[in-house]
Amino acid sequence: MDQRTATTRLLDAAEELFYARGVQAVGMDEIRAASGVSLKRLYQCFPSKEQLVVGYLRRRDERWRDSLARSVTTRARGAEQVLAVFDWLHEWFSEPGFHGCAFLNSFGELGATSPAVAAAVRDHKAEVQRYLTTLLTDTDEPRTDRKASERKALAEPKAAAEREALAEQLNVLAEGAITTAAITGTPAPARHARAAAEALLAHR
């Protein structure tokens, strides 16, 4: 088994076990057994459990955001794409294996003792924030003439700050929905968060 295949198998096993049961409840020997990778090869790929956890989080970040973006791009441009984020969350919450946010779960377990894990979690949250800001930027009206373009250019710093603030508010709604859905075991928080997001967008 080459190293790339071994790494993929290890990350697959880590994602399944860490997300379902928690990082600290799962030992490296369980990862080895579930992946079918030898213990020697495991430590060649990931010399420490912390590195495996970070690898799991980094890959999950890419997959999570890619899945979200693919779903959102099927919607019409504008506010509907922003609201589609919450529709996607509702679908995710409805999955039988939903256990909340993998990043918050890992941060709760290791964030205070592992700077590398904390950094992976913060990077994920920052990327989600940037994505929401991008969606809000796309909802802006196109520039129609030179004078309008000049006026918009002068107003752009203020508009950018407002977009950033709104993206933060939307991000808080999404985070709250994820946490509440995990605790209550129902996807309903996604619908509540969507309604709140719609109200925010309407007063933009």
Side-chain angles (χ1 to χ4, degrees), residues 10-11 14 18 28 31 46 48-56:
L10 289 165
L11 289 174
F18 288 160
M28 293 293 268
I31 299 293
F46 298 99
S48 69
K49 185 176 181 180
E50 180 184 53
Q51 291 179 3
L52 177 59
V53 174
V54 171
Y56 144 65

Side-chain angles (χ1 to χ4, degrees), residues 136 161-171 200-201 204:
L136 291 170
E162 291 175 348
R163 278 196 300 272
E164 187 68 26
L166 181 53
E168 290 177 358
Q169 293 168 351
L170 293 169
N171 204 8
L200 285 173
L201 291 170
R204 188 180 178 194

Side-chain angles (χ1 to χ4, degrees), residues 4-191:
R4 177 176 294 182
T5 300
T7 298
T8 299
R9 288 189 179 184
L10 289 165
L11 289 174
D12 287 345
E15 181 157 13
E16 180 178 353
L17 293 171
F18 288 160
Y19 184 62
R21 294 170 47 197
V23 172
Q24 297 189 81
V26 178
M28 293 293 268
D29 193 57
E30 287 185 83
I31 299 293
R32 177 203 60 76
S35 65
V37 175
S38 70
L39 200 60
K40 179 180 179 181
R41 174 64 83 178
L42 188 163
Y43 282 107
Q44 287 174 342
C45 297
F46 298 99
S48 69
K49 185 176 181 180
E50 180 184 53
Q51 291 179 3
L52 177 59
V53 174
V54 171
Y56 144 65
L57 291 174
R58 296 291 185 188
R59 191 182 70 161
R60 187 174 178 90
D61 164 63
E62 293 179 3
R63 291 181 168 185
W64 193 94
R65 289 188 294 108
D66 183 62
S67 176
L68 172 61
R70 286 200 313 270
S71 178
V72 168
T73 53
T74 65
R75 305 289 285 270
R77 294 177 67 83
E80 279 301 309
Q81 286 199 332
V82 178
L83 297 177
V85 170
F86 298 91
D87 295 334
W88 181 85
L89 289 177
H90 187 274
E91 293 177 5
W92 178 37
F93 298 167
S94 301
E95 294 176 0
F98 174 70
H99 295 291
C101 176
F103 303 91
L104 291 181
N105 294 346
S106 297
F107 187 83
E109 290 192 79
L110 300 173
T113 58
S114 172
V117 169
V121 173
R122 292 189 179 107
D123 287 347
H124 167 73
K125 298 303 180 183
E127 287 298 327
V128 175
Q129 173 81 19
R130 277 190 283 271
Y131 178 64
L132 290 170
T133 302
T134 299
L135 290 180
L136 291 170
T137 302
D138 290 344
T139 66
D140 289 341
E141 293 294 329
R143 299 177 180 180
T144 56
D145 54 48
R146 182 175 178 180
K147 288 185 177 180
S149 297
E150 290 173 352
R151 287 195 300 271
K152 187 168 184 178
L154 290 172
E156 184 58 28
K158 181 180 179 181
E162 291 175 348
R163 278 196 300 272
E164 187 68 26
L166 181 53
E168 290 177 358
Q169 293 168 351
L170 293 169
N171 204 8
V172 168
L173 286 175
E175 292 289 346
I178 295 170
T179 301
T180 306
I183 294 171
T184 61
T186 170
R191 293 289 186 241

